[in-house]
């Protein structure tokens, strides 16, 4: 398709959705005082959830007035913490394929489940005969930061000893149970946990949703239920296509996919109430999202991937002047507002708000991240960055400039950072950014040919700028491993051929140039106000151009 415009006559008049709209009057009222309602819909009957998953396993989503309800959970706020680790279980991250679930003790969880069972038994005695939720022995799933507070996972409970509180999990956590997080978790979708406004329980065997309405609610509101998982709009091999003024809502799959296309623009559109992601653009060139709203999203907001890394040919995909907030509702880590890959993507002039982890996550080369306003992200994680990349010497050419980053979440261990170049990332420019009221400002984890110039860092008490030498201490074991990702990613690029040998000649020499040493760094003209003094490794000073400190 070429030269096509799909435009709403009036913005907001056109809604593309796969959801069901049901009047509250079609629900059964189980308890008017407690505002407890229930409905059974055969089309919601679904397969069992997997024993482990990241964030979302396909359950129906419930909304009233675009406000999402959440699965019944315990505790209602925050996290429970395991009492002690009995067995960590297998650690898939370390190539452990034994598939052994971990074991731990939590007397608090055992008590909560016992109390929940009693609540459900009492409900069953007094509720109307129409009630379909009668199975208190439904599977128990726990979601948590089981080891690190930068990797979340949900797992099924295999068994629990209600007397001792010993819990055995049906699947291993990627990093094993236990670690710096202390084992943080909460339980989801247990009937007895349904006790709070805007919660619901879903019985996948009967297709029943039971929910508690908020106190202040229209007399007979419309309830939106999203339950289908497919791509709402697929644009492939197209040229000069515009979507304008359209709303995509109440859907549990990807909203818009743009593949191998040229000059496709999504403008003045809204993406709301989606269980997974809003837009994915891959292949092709000059495609993007402009002046749009992406809100209440279960996973990543927008993904851009294109260009040719072997030739450093840019795709020039973009996200501009858009409002992106309340994303990563289900997948809480590494599901940013915007994710970049490939070569030459642009993220300019956007507002990012309210998410547990990254606002912008990137890999690849030559991206431009500028003039964005980022607040209240990294809200529920540790060792995270509002703008983040990691573990690749070949990521050169990206510029992060003129962004404002404020009010990041605090951390239980390891700081959260406004801008974070992790594990020897190299060749990045961090220029003229304003960072305020964050635990920490800028972290560069080793690496070389990075430039940190003209940034203003205010009210960052734990660290302002840190440029470490991890390649000379704890990270040495990985540099010495020829199978480490750093080496794999280096040898995957044609570093001895043009344009790589011209743009990044030092990559050919890195193996024989003390690869763990942070060399050829520039740190100049940064303004530090009411913040910790910069911490710069001596090797950075020895081999770089550093002003002060």
């Amino acid at each position: 398709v070429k030269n096509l415009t799909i435009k709403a006559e009036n913005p907001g008049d056109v809604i593309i959705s796969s959801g069901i709209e049901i009047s509250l009057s079609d629900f059964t009222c189980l308890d008017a005082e407690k505002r407890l309602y229930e409905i059974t819909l055969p089309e919601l009957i679904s397969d069992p959830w997997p024993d482990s998953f990241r964030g979302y396993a396909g359950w129906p989503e419930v909304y009233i007035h675009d406000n999402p309800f959440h699965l019944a959970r315990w505790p209602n706020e925050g996290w429970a913490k395991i009492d002690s680790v009995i067995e960590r279980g297998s650690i898939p991250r370390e190539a452990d394929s034994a598939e052994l679930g971990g074991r731990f003790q939590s007397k608090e969880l055992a008590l909560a489940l016992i109390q929940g069972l009693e609540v459900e038994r009492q409900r069953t005695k007094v509720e109307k005969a129409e009630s379909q939720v009668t199975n208190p022995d439904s599977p128990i799933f726990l979601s948590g930061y089981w080891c690190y507070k930068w990797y979340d996972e949900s797992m099924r409970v295999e068994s629990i000893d209600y007397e001792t509180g010993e819990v055995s999990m049906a699947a291993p956590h990627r990093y094993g149970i236990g670690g710096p997080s202390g084992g943080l978790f909460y339980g989801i979708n247990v009937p007895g946990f349904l006790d709070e406004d805007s919660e619901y329980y879903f019985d996948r065997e009967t297709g029943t949703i039971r929910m508690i309405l908020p106190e202040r609610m229209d007399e007979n509101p419309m309830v939106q239920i999203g339950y289908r998982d497919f791509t709402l709009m697929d644009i492939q091999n197209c040229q000069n296509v515009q979507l304008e003024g359209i709303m995509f809502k109440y859907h549990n799959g990807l909203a818009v996919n743009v593949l191998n296309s040229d000059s496709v623009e999504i403008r003045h559109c809204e993406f709301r109430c989606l269980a997974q992601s809003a837009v994915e653009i891959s292949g092709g060139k000059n495609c993007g999202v402009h002046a749009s709203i992406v809100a209440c999203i279960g996973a990543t907001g927008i993904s851009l991937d294109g260009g040719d890394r072997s030739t450093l040919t840019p795709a020039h995909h973009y996200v501009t002047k858009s409002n992106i907030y309340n994303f990563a509702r289900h997948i809480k880590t590494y599901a940013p507002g915007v994710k970049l890959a490939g070569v030459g993507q642009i993220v300019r002039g956007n507002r990012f708000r309210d998410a547990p982890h990254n606002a912008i996550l990137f890999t690849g080369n030559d991206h431009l991240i500028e003039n964005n306003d980022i607040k209240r992200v990294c809200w529920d994680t540790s060792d995270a960055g509002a703008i983040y990349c990691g573990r690749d010497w070949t990521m050169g050419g990206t510029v992060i400039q003129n962004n404002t980053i404020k009010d990041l979440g605090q951390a239980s261990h390891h700081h959260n950072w406004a801008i974070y170049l992790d594990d020897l990332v190299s060749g990045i420019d961090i220029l003229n950014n304003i960072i305020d009221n964050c635990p920490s400002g800028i972290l560069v984890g080793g690496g070389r040919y990075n430039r940190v110039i003209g940034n203003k860092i205010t009210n960052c008490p734990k660290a302002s700028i840190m440029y470490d030498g991890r390649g000379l201490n704890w990270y040495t074991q990985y540099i010495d491993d020829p199978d480490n990702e750093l080496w794999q990613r280096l040898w995957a690029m044609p570093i001895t051929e043009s344009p790589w040998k011209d743009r990044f000649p030092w990559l050919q020499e890195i193996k024989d140039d003390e690869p763990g040493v942070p060399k050829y760094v520039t740190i100049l003209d940064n303004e530090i106000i009411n913040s910790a003094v910069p911490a710069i490794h001596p090797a950075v000073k020895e081999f770089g151009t550093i002003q002060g400190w």
Side-chain angles (χ1 to χ4, degrees), residues 379-529:
W379 198 249
D380 195 34
T381 44
S382 296
D383 195 17
I387 300 175
Y388 177 88
C389 65
R391 202 166 298 166
D392 195 339
W393 280 310
T394 72
M395 245 189 240
T398 288
V399 177
I400 304 168
Q401 66 182 13
N402 300 318
N403 302 283
T404 298
I405 306 172
K406 294 185 177 183
D407 304 335
L408 300 191
Q410 300 296 318
S412 59
H413 64 278
H414 297 307
H415 314 164
N416 289 324
W417 303 82
I419 301 171
Y420 191 164
L421 311 185
D422 204 358
D423 291 349
L424 280 70
V425 161
S426 300
I428 308 295
D429 284 352
I430 303 173
L431 313 175
N432 303 316
N433 300 280
I434 296 173
I435 299 169
D436 181 34
N437 193 35
C438 299
S440 304
I442 298 169
L443 171 61
V444 185
R448 48 187 65 193
Y449 285 100
N450 295 302
R451 300 197 307 158
V452 182
I453 301 174
N455 301 281
K456 183 177 181 180
I457 301 174
T458 306
N459 300 318
C460 294
K462 294 185 176 180
S464 55
I465 299 172
M466 179 178 288
Y467 206 121
D468 68 33
R470 67 186 61 189
L472 296 171
N473 41 69
W474 65 268
Y475 204 79
T476 303
Q477 59 179 317
Y478 302 109
I479 295 175
D480 292 342
D481 178 5
D483 294 325
N484 182 261
E485 293 115 314
L486 275 170
W487 295 111
Q488 292 178 3
R489 291 165 181 169
L490 177 68
W491 305 136
M493 294 295 104
I495 58 175
T496 62
E497 302 173 12
S498 292
W500 280 85
K501 69 176 185 179
D502 307 312
R503 289 280 311 279
F504 310 114
W506 50 272
L507 289 174
Q508 299 176 62
E509 305 163 3
I510 197 168
K511 187 175 184 298
D512 300 315
D513 186 23
E514 302 176 299
V517 180
K519 295 183 175 183
Y520 320 122
V521 172
T522 302
I523 303 176
L524 298 173
D525 300 328
N526 298 285
E527 185 178 3
I528 311 298
I529 302 170

Side-chain angles (χ1 to χ4, degrees), residues 46-67:
S46 60
D47 295 331
W49 299 355
D51 286 343
S52 66
F53 57 91
R54 298 237 20 245
Y56 181 66
W59 55 77
E61 299 266 83
V62 178
Y63 309 90
I64 296 180
H65 299 316
D66 287 356
N67 294 313

Side-chain angles (χ1 to χ4, degrees), residues 106-124:
S106 175
K107 293 183 178 179
E108 191 179 17
L109 172 63
L111 179 60
L113 288 167
I114 291 169
Q115 292 173 340
L117 286 169
E118 182 58 31
V119 167
E120 187 60 21
R121 289 192 186 101
Q122 293 301 319
R123 274 187 185 150
T124 304

Side-chain angles (χ1 to χ4, degrees), residues 90-102:
S90 303
I91 305 176
R93 180 64 175 83
E94 298 178 0
D96 183 346
S97 59
E99 294 295 320
L100 299 176

